[in-house]
Amino acid sequence: MNTVVNKFIKNFSEIEEMDYGDFMRKANHYLLELEEDLSQSSNSSIKKNLEQMKIDVQYYPNWDIQSTREKTLEHARRIGFLLDQPSIQSDIAL
């Protein structure tokens, strides 16, 4: 899996905040870093997964840290899978 995605997964998984607001601030920081690292990608599936992560964490949260963490990590894994595809690797230089 892509190192950018691995870094995000590691950092995101290590957020230990119990208050959703504190969790969201740290999660948004890591999402912004991931989004910046992937900004050269024109792949619509990658963009869609990033957008869904922002929706789940920030725009329309369910206020449950664990379920948000699980959904966000699943989207990150999907992005990692997409980045491992040869057709997408040529789309972005990471």
Side-chain angles (χ1 to χ4, degrees):
M1 190 179 298
N2 185 282
T3 57
V4 169
V5 175
N6 282 337
K7 176 184 166 190
F8 171 81
I9 288 173
K10 179 184 179 306
N11 290 336
F12 189 83
S13 297
E14 292 176 352
I15 299 173
E16 295 181 357
E17 305 302 328
M18 300 303 288
D19 175 75
Y20 192 87
D22 296 333
F23 167 82
M24 182 171 59
R25 278 185 281 287
K26 287 186 178 182
N28 279 332
H29 172 75
Y30 296 132
L31 278 171
L32 287 171
E33 286 182 345
L34 180 63
E35 188 173 37
E36 184 177 321
D37 289 340
L38 298 175
S39 64
Q40 295 178 359
S41 176
S42 61
N43 182 277
S44 63
S45 293
I46 290 174
K47 289 180 179 183
K48 181 179 175 183
N49 278 283
L50 280 170
E51 186 61 28
Q52 188 60 50
M53 291 163 78
K54 290 189 285 186
I55 288 170
D56 292 340
V57 170
Q58 182 181 17
Y59 302 143
Y60 300 105
N62 66 8
W63 308 105
D64 179 68
I65 292 171
Q66 189 56 36
S67 66
T68 300
R69 184 186 315 272
E70 290 169 8
K71 288 192 290 186
T72 303
L73 290 173
E74 180 58 34
H75 286 291
R77 288 184 197 101
R78 288 181 194 153
I79 291 171
F81 174 79
L82 290 166
L83 290 171
D84 287 342
Q85 304 306 304
S87 61
I88 295 178
Q89 288 175 357
S90 64
D91 178 45
I92 183 169
L94 296 175

